Amino acid sequence: MTKEDDYLLQLNDQQRDAVVYNDGPQLVIAGAGSGKTRVLTYKIVHLLHHGYEPWRILALTFTNKAAKEMRERIQQMVGPAVASQLWMGTFHSIFARLLRFNADLIGFKSSFTIYDAADTKSLVKTILRDMELDDKVYKPATVIAAISNAKNALISPDMYIADSAQMSADERAKRPALGAIYRAYCARCRHAGAMDFDDLLYYTNVLLRDNPDIRRKYQEYFRYVLVDEYQDTNFAQHVIIRQLCEESKALCVVGDDAQSIYSFRGANISNILNLHKSFPALRTFKLEQNYRSTQNIINAANTLIAKNKEQIPKQVFSRNDVGSRIEVVQAYSDYEEAILVANKVSQMQMRSHDPYNEFAILYRTNSQSRRLEESLRNRNIPYRIYGGLSFYQRKEVKDIVAYMRLAVNPDDDEAFKRVINTPARGIGDTTVNRLIHTAMHCGVSMWNVATSLDCYDTGLKSAAIKKVTGFVELVQKFVGMITANASAYDVARSIVEDTRMLASLIHDNTPESISKQENILELLQGISEFVGERMEQSAQETTLVDFLANVSLSSDQDMSDSNGEAVTLMTVHAAKGLEFNNVIVVGVEEELFPSAMSCDTLRGIEEERRLLYVAITRARRHCVITYAASRYRNGQTAPTRPSRFIGDIDRGYLYISPGSEFSRSDSVINPLDNYRDSMGGRMADDRRRSFRHPLVDDEPARSNIHPVNLSSNPVGSSGGTQADGGTHDVADIKVGMRIEHSRFGVGTISAVTSNAPSPTITVAFNVVGEKKLLLKFARFTIL
Ligand code: ATP
Ligand code: MG
């Protein structure tokens, strides 16, 4: 080995074999943290050392962050001049580049624009309007998902129309015009000189398929093609790779079937399982040593993933420290869980002295972030939401908050502009601009103009006037509630109902739409809790003004500390490929993780199990899994059960906090139950939740969910009924008694004051600390 090849010494034997192999197509398949990404990185360096020109090496990654990190690492090893010439990036960014060079061949200008999700949505809506289709049947999000799926499966509009087998019979009957919409959508994009994200893959395929000379040119040009995270490629990406490497066979892909977690985006695990069919000379390499995590973490993850039936058998072991066991923590409620998590971060930080950057909190769904953000803020722990927005920055949340702002202050022009046509009610830009112009010109607010249209010369036509008046009447109802001192919760609930913000999403089962629905319900829950807490502590009726003040304080803060260090909050999906010293996986409960939507098939359950495998294997040194015994979700608080996946992990690798479900032998999950659950569609089907909202009464309530309807929320409703609180007599209550509060968990009463008319108790709660509660509102049982 020459001095030049020193970098090869930084690899183990298996990794080195994979790096230096140069005799044909190659698949590196290995478990998490075994150095797959490292092999790709070093292989590129190796190729550069062996005379490959950087501009003839193509490396594709799943995220921009991954590409950036890989480039930086290579740069350290070969210098910036060489590294900067590599073709390295995400599939989309690289193919956009190829398409610009060859745009004329597929009938586009090289200056084509790229439509983002908002552009796509707006175009689909225009088409639906043009075709006079009912957007309740043809929900834009459903149409967009259908178009996207078709493109990722390389199905053209003509094929889609001709071969209606592409659609299920049910879909065909329900939405027969989908093919025509798809065709119109592509035509309009073409006229606008625009491509959406899926087009970047779709047209790259068309370009290579229909232009043999171009295909040959790139086959020769790219002397080596390397792909990270191959398990998550979709069909379109797979076919592009196949076309590019057909001749050269100079292909190296790395992946882990156990980490395939994007099937809802069309990712297909068979791309990796069947790669040898496209490349018969494919040689498979395995890596077995994990360098990232402690032995305990790896062993725990191995026992979990071993429960999946469909997988390529592989070994993963760690020679790092044995490390501590994965800690399993049960909380009483999701509220307490968030506090426990913030406490854990503090404790672990003090013990390890790790900077906050080395902590990640991973959750299954975005709406779980609100409570976590709140408890981290309360503890002054800096955090950052990765790959997404913090709760109050999310569009659907901001829209509802804007209505609240208007209800409190109708002259708030920014809020007015934000929601005058949200959800869409046919008020176009021209109308809005006229209102803005008139308001500016006359020195009044837009609300002022809108409520007295006959007094101003706005130039609006009668149709527009009618629509604006409709909007004004809607907002006036909310303003009226505020004037009548309605509680914050009631106004918020009325906003969600009357604007139909939630109802308009309800029939969409796309992941984006579900996430929005969850966020809206989570916002209502946040308000309900805010109101409830005040009520229990001071019997104060909380107004929307109080709540809004709290929101603006929480969303304006820059939450990273002076070193820019912050705990990372993100979904498990976004955590792929990343690593942290400390990882806390929250909400590991049935119907949440695994998600209720995945419970009815073995395939769904196995994907969720892989997702937890990904989550756990992000941790280098410490991993904590939490679950709550009750959780507010989908508009109701319901008891929850710990995830079957916790029972899948060998007990020897877990430390189970005393008092948790698993520490009691009678309630340990029976492995046979797990098996039946994952196999038996029927049982799971029983529990499967397609979304059900108490605010939208189009489905009967399910009997096995605790029916806590928002309207009977004990502290949220204006009537202030105390359904499950206020039942205790002060004479029964003594200092030293142990109680269990519905949200704060277990605590001991440290003081009782019987001052009429509002006796209070002070309780030292085990987790959330001391709280003073008004007896007549407090919701607890005596233990
Ligand atoms: P994932 O499946 O999560 O994407 P991976 O297989 O791509 O993981 P890497 O991220 O490449 O794994 O490597 C995991 C960690 O182990 C990284 O910090 C990497 O630098 C380190 N590592 C890998 N191989 C070695 C080695 N031979 N010597 C020292 N450190 C290594
Ligand atoms: Mg990797």
Side-chain angles (χ1 to χ4, degrees):
M1 208 179 290
T2 63
K3 178 91 182 71
E4 272 239 297
D5 289 342
D6 264 4
Y7 57 90
L8 292 177
L9 299 176
Q10 298 166 24
L11 301 168
N12 67 28
D13 293 349
Q14 290 177 320
Q15 292 173 335
R16 193 177 313 113
D17 287 348
V19 163
V20 301
Y21 182 76
N22 196 357
D23 292 330
Q26 165 183 29
L27 164 67
V28 180
I29 184 129
S34 56
K36 295 181 296 296
T37 303
R38 188 178 179 102
V39 161
L40 270 196
T41 311
Y42 279 62
K43 189 169 186 93
I44 293 169
V45 171
H46 187 69
L47 292 171
L48 292 169
H49 272 97
H50 287 78
Y52 283 72
E53 297 105 329
W55 59 89
R56 295 182 71 174
I57 296 175
L58 171 63
L60 298 164
T61 61
F62 210 73
T63 60
N64 284 314
K65 187 172 186 324
K68 187 165 160 265
E69 281 176 6
M70 205 185 280
R71 194 186 290 278
E72 279 166 7
R73 185 81 188 97
I74 294 173
Q75 190 169 313
Q76 286 165 8
M77 296 162 82
V78 299
V82 175
S84 64
Q85 298 182 68
L86 292 161
W87 279 73
M88 182 176 284
T90 60
F91 278 88
H92 292 98
S93 69
I94 294 284
F95 295 145
R97 227 167 122 189
L98 281 191
L99 287 171
R100 289 206 192 281
F101 288 134
N102 303 288
D104 53 329
L105 291 172
I106 45 164
F108 280 84
K109 289 204 182 112
S110 69
S111 57
F112 65 82
T113 45
I114 298 176
Y115 274 178
D116 64 13
D119 299 321
T120 296
K121 189 162 184 186
S122 147
L123 175 53
V124 165
K125 283 183 174 172
T126 314
I127 291 171
L128 294 176
R129 222 175 299 137
D130 255 31
M131 294 173 72
E132 296 181 352
L133 290 167
D134 181 354
D135 66 4
K136 295 201 178 50
V137 178
Y138 292 91
K139 291 260 163 203
T142 312
V143 172
I144 290 166
I147 294 177
S148 172
N149 288 342
K151 284 183 185 164
N152 284 328
L154 300 179
I155 297 163
S156 68
D158 288 346
M159 285 158 71
Y160 196 94
I161 291 165
D163 180 3
S164 48
Q166 307 294 353
M167 287 188 263
S168 67
D170 184 36
E171 187 65 11
R172 204 161 47 232
K174 244 196 292 183
R175 289 182 263 270
L178 268 181
I181 302 172
Y182 179 22
R183 195 195 321 249
Y185 177 83
C186 292
R188 298 267 194 139
C189 280
R190 224 170 233 293
H191 286 136
M195 292 197 199
D196 67 18
F197 263 53
D198 299 317
D199 284 334
L200 297 174
L201 304 179
Y202 183 83
Y203 285 118
T204 301
N205 267 301
V206 172
L207 173 75
L208 297 176
R209 184 194 65 200
D210 297 350
N211 299 279
D213 45 333
I214 293 289
R215 184 168 68 241
R216 265 192 300 278
K217 176 178 137 186
Y218 285 112
Q219 283 170 346
E220 277 164 32
Y221 183 81
F222 291 125
R223 287 189 60 204
Y224 227 103
V225 178
L226 306 100
V227 189
D228 199 7
E229 312 265 14
Y230 205 75
Q231 75 278 359
D232 284 324
T233 50
N234 61 31
F235 183 66
Q237 290 163 326
H238 176 69
V239 176
I240 295 172
I241 299 295
R242 201 172 63 200
Q243 297 196 66
L244 285 175
C245 304
E246 227 159 34
E247 294 300 316
S248 71
K249 312 273 194 287
L251 170 69
C252 173
V253 312
V254 310
D256 179 6
D257 56 305
Q259 295 185 67
S260 168
I261 55 175
Y262 273 94
S263 69
F264 67 97
R265 290 264 160 79
N268 194 341
I269 203 166
S270 64
N271 288 344
I272 208 163
L273 301 179
N274 296 331
L275 196 63
H276 61 277
K277 292 193 182 144
S278 306
F279 297 97
L282 185 74
R283 169 116 185 249
T284 301
F285 292 75
K286 296 202 168 178
L287 311 176
E288 293 175 330
Q289 182 168 356
N290 171 295
Y291 285 85
R292 176 181 296 146
S293 315
T294 61
Q295 293 185 22
N296 252 308
I297 290 171
I298 286 309
N299 292 341
N302 282 347
T303 60
L304 169 71
I305 203 67
K307 304 291 184 300
N308 268 10
K309 303 210 172 330
E310 216 185 288
Q311 60 178 318
I312 302 175
K314 52 181 131 31
Q315 292 290 321
V316 192
F317 66 89
S318 163
R319 289 218 181 96
N320 296 343
D321 295 348
V322 175
S324 49
R325 296 178 181 205
I326 293 183
E327 195 178 341
V328 179
V329 177
Q330 173 184 298
Y332 273 90
S333 57
D334 42 350
Y335 175 85
E336 195 198 61
E337 180 189 47
I339 293 170
L340 279 171
V341 167
N343 291 352
K344 264 276 158 269
V345 171
S346 277
Q347 268 171 20
M348 289 161 86
Q349 202 272 337
M350 275 193 286
R351 224 174 282 152
S352 65
H353 301 291
D354 279 337
Y356 283 125
N357 290 357
E358 284 297 346
F359 289 81
I361 302 174
L362 308 181
Y363 36 80
R364 178 67 187 79
T365 66
N366 263 310
S367 64
Q368 287 170 263
S369 85
R370 183 189 64 82
R371 281 164 197 289
L372 296 162
E373 289 183 59
E374 196 172 286
S375 67
L376 291 171
R377 253 196 324 269
N378 287 343
R379 263 195 161 268
N380 280 327
I381 298 174
Y383 68 86
R384 195 176 289 129
I385 306 256
Y386 176 85
L389 297 167
S390 71
F391 186 78
Y392 287 108
Q393 300 297 328
R394 292 174 195 158
K395 182 185 179 304
E396 58 281 6
V397 175
K398 276 181 112 169
D399 288 343
I400 291 173
V401 169
Y403 272 106
M404 295 181 188
R405 282 166 48 185
L406 267 190
V408 168
N409 168 23
D411 291 327
D412 181 336
D413 279 351
E414 289 312 308
F416 185 99
K417 275 191 277 184
R418 183 172 182 98
V419 294
I420 182 168
N421 196 36
T422 308
R425 50 177 70 88
I427 300 179
D429 286 349
T430 321
T431 304
V432 178
N433 287 337
R434 292 216 162 126
L435 293 175
I436 295 176
H437 180 80
T438 313
M440 300 244 283
H441 191 71
C442 303
V444 294
S445 69
M446 291 173 76
W447 175 254
N448 202 308
V449 177
T451 45
S452 326
L453 284 171
D454 45 350
C455 305
Y456 293 97
D457 178 18
T458 54
L460 290 180
K461 301 229 164 57
S462 63
I465 289 179
K466 205 165 150 214
K467 284 177 188 150
V468 172
T469 308
F471 172 67
V472 165
E473 281 165 7
L474 180 70
V475 176
Q476 256 157 353
K477 175 176 176 196
F478 310 141
V479 175
M481 290 179 82
I482 299 275
T483 319
N485 280 330
S487 91
Y489 179 80
D490 285 348
V491 184
R493 189 187 141 102
S494 175
I495 288 173
V496 170
E497 276 179 16
D498 297 343
T499 58
R500 300 192 51 74
M501 299 261 247
L502 187 61
S504 66
L505 293 165
I506 205 117
H507 295 292
D508 264 350
N509 267 344
T510 56
E512 291 75 13
S513 161
I514 289 174
S515 173
K516 285 184 183 166
Q517 297 170 44
E518 288 175 339
N519 283 333
I520 292 175
L521 289 166
E522 187 59 35
L523 175 64
L524 282 181
Q525 173 66 3
I527 298 171
S528 153
E529 279 175 12
F530 186 76
V531 172
E533 211 150 300
R534 289 215 170 187
M535 180 75 90
E536 273 188 77
Q537 295 184 6
S538 61
Q540 258 180 33
E541 190 57 81
T542 310
T543 64
L544 207 48
V545 178
D546 300 322
F547 178 74
L548 287 175
N550 181 55
V551 169
S552 28
L553 289 178
S554 37
S555 43
D556 277 359
Q557 241 160 315
D558 172 12
M559 284 310 294
S560 61
D561 71 6
S562 52
N563 302 322
E565 276 175 12
V567 173
T568 302
L569 266 65
M570 61 182 158
T571 61
V572 183
H573 280 102
K576 201 165 68 136
L578 307 179
E579 52 189 26
F580 303 86
N581 283 354
N582 310 283
V583 169
I584 303 179
V585 193
V586 300
V588 187
E589 292 148 25
E590 284 297 298
E591 306 211 345
L592 177 56
F593 203 162
S595 115
M597 314 281 281
S598 313
C599 283
D600 55 348
T601 59
L602 180 60
R603 181 171 282 205
I605 288 291
E606 296 210 336
E607 175 133 336
E608 296 284 316
R609 197 180 273 114
R610 292 195 291 270
L611 199 53
L612 186 60
Y613 175 79
V614 169
I616 293 174
T617 54
R618 299 309 96 201
R620 291 198 194 96
R621 309 207 56 79
H622 298 288
C623 181
V624 179
I625 288 176
T626 69
Y627 64 90
S630 76
R631 180 172 301 272
Y632 175 88
R633 279 200 82 207
N634 304 348
Q636 16 195 309
T637 300
T640 51
R641 289 191 298 137
S643 169
R644 70 191 77 189
F645 298 150
I646 301 179
D648 286 345
I649 302 173
D650 192 312
R651 281 287 291 267
Y653 305 120
L654 300 178
Y655 169 74
I656 295 170
S657 302
S660 78
E661 193 121 343
F662 291 95
S663 63
R664 296 191 291 270
S665 56
D666 57 339
S667 55
V668 168
I669 286 187
N670 177 348
L672 265 181
D673 283 349
N674 298 342
Y675 178 75
R676 275 201 301 268
D677 277 6
S678 54
M679 293 301 289
R682 184 188 38 75
M683 265 181 72
D685 196 47
D686 223 27
R687 283 204 318 272
R688 195 185 102 236
R689 300 292 148 269
S690 64
F691 243 63
R692 199 196 102 67
H693 299 292
L695 299 187
V696 182
D697 298 325
D698 60 354
E699 214 185 300
R702 293 190 184 255
S703 56
N704 58 341
I705 297 186
H706 243 216
V708 182
N709 192 306
L710 281 173
S711 61
S712 63
N713 185 306
V715 288
S717 64
S718 55
T721 52
Q722 301 140 41
D724 53 352
T727 52
H728 301 283
D729 187 339
V730 68
D732 304 338
I733 307 289
K734 302 268 177 306
V735 169
M737 271 180 171
R738 271 166 43 85
I739 64 158
E740 182 177 338
H741 185 272
S742 60
R743 271 192 311 135
F744 302 142
V746 172
T748 307
I749 297 178
S750 56
V752 182
T753 58
S754 49
N755 297 355
S758 16
T760 62
I761 53 170
T762 307
V763 187
F765 287 104
N766 294 354
V767 174
V768 303
E770 195 168 85
K771 297 224 180 255
K772 192 171 182 180
L773 306 173
L774 276 166
L775 200 55
K776 70 174 172 183
F777 293 117
R779 290 164 290 161
F780 64 88
T781 48
I782 299 168
L783 295 177

